[in-house]
Amino acid sequence: SIIAIQLVSRARQSGLVITPRDVFQHQTVEELAATAQPVGEGQEIEAEAPGAGVGPVPVTPIVAWLRDRVAGDTALIRGFHQSTLLRTPPDLGIERLTAAFQTLLDHHDVLRLRLDGWQPVVRPPGTCDAAGLVTRMDVAGLDADKLQSVITEQAGAARERLDPSAGTMAQLVWFDAGREQGRLLVVLHHLVVDGVTWRILLPDLVTAWAGGALDPVPTSFRRWAQKLTTAERDEDELEDWLDIVDGPPQNLAKRPLDPRVDVAARARSVTLNLPADVTGPLLTDVPAAFHGRVNDVLLTGLALAVAQWRRHRGGRGTGVLIDLEGHGREDVVPGADVSRTAGWFTSIHPVRLDAGNATGGAALKTVKEQLRAVPDGGIGYGLLRYGDGEAAEELAAVPRAQIAFNYLGRVAGGDEDADWTLASEELPAGEDPAMPMAHVLEINAVTRDLPGGPVLSATWTWPGGLLESADVRELAQGWFTALRGLAADAAAGDAAGFTPSDLLVDLDQSEIDKLQTAWRQKS
């Protein structure tokens, strides 16, 4: 979906209109070309006035979600961040790095964000001094263990230096290894970054360091937030969301989350990797066979695994309520192009997945349709949940999902000898240690494109004392087992085909399956 956003933006810049849905449904250049239409009246990207990205920013649904999570205590989010570690050329240079980061600060408005209470405010260009945000550490001659120790220590120190109230949203630490390849730690407060933003800022940092010019940002984060939060809300969606969350309780642990006890400092995690020979077809062949997306496959496997895991522990029912994280850049804000916009766009919405007694391909079709029934990709949930009026009150009163799932897409693992690729050293978790955890279980998955092929890596995180490590590992392994089964079904051709949302005619799944079976037998 991230690639789809970029493709849609490039097409519009060239005068053609396609939608992310078109990209998924028409997966060749020829089919997309037949679908594309010239940009018409009212479809142009809004030309922003100079300075439109500077000033107070409306509180978006994801910021309101964060405010609720910490009960309005801004002290608990001071260190809430995301970070990444890059391999760097030996001649990176502190002056050159600082100048490049200054270019980023002046180019991307959101990096100059400051939190006034819970009111985000973007300051004008030139008000943030990169020199105070960049640190150099001499690590020449250190062995791998010592380097890891220094990186861990400095990552914690960088987190401590973040201060949203003072507008300190970033820290860069260059680990200078002399004539050897070094490391660059980039720490950004979560209020200004998400998964897509990294794909914007890191290439821009390299471009600025190399002396190149940065591409313009068509729509500022502030303007997007203004248009999003003032858009007319579809109150009819409320019934859809109430139907989605309605269902029996699904307790994963013996007690509910306690914000006083279940804090980030007590978090435990386990990471499992799915080999390339399974991940490759899982991300390509399986979605193609079912005319779906990667999330359809991953979430089907998760729904099957959770249902089985709960059955083994005396749980009833086959459904699971999940908080699904998305990139939040759905095409719902007219005149906006955020393909080059940095910021925290993430959306979170509940979805109930229930494959019933189905398995394999039949389960995937069921879950796929349940995901397609989510209105507008889920962006409207946050607007209703954190808006004004009765809808917010009703949604606040419903049971919350105990599981959260976020698939971050594919990232280049890179050659270990290449500059500006992701380094292998580990970084600490991104939450402030005092933050209450939002879910009993959180799953963050990413695919790394490695020399031997793509590898799906999933990190499962939970509050220590609420779940047992062995139980979480069993569930994680059950998910991979379910994914292997889906890949095997697709390879065998079992149950592959269309679902009702793929077609313009009104047919249910059984009718579609009968038609496809008849067609295969005829062939």
Side-chain angles (χ1 to χ4, degrees), residues 39 92 100 112 134 175 204 207 215 261 302 317 342 378 438 508:
V39 173
L92 184 66
R112 305 189 303 275
V134 181
F175 299 94
D204 275 8
T207 298
D215 291 336
V261 176
L302 183 60
D508 64 27

Side-chain angles (χ1 to χ4, degrees), residues 149-188:
S149 176
V150 173
I151 288 173
T152 300
E153 178 186 353
Q154 289 301 312
R159 183 196 68 213
E160 292 298 318
R161 292 194 294 270
L162 295 176
D163 187 354
S165 298
T168 307
M169 293 296 194
Q171 291 288 311
L172 271 60
V173 182
W174 174 36
F175 299 94
D176 183 0
R179 296 182 179 181
E180 302 297 323
Q181 193 177 57
R183 299 289 188 267
L184 178 63
L185 172 66
V186 184
V187 177
L188 298 175

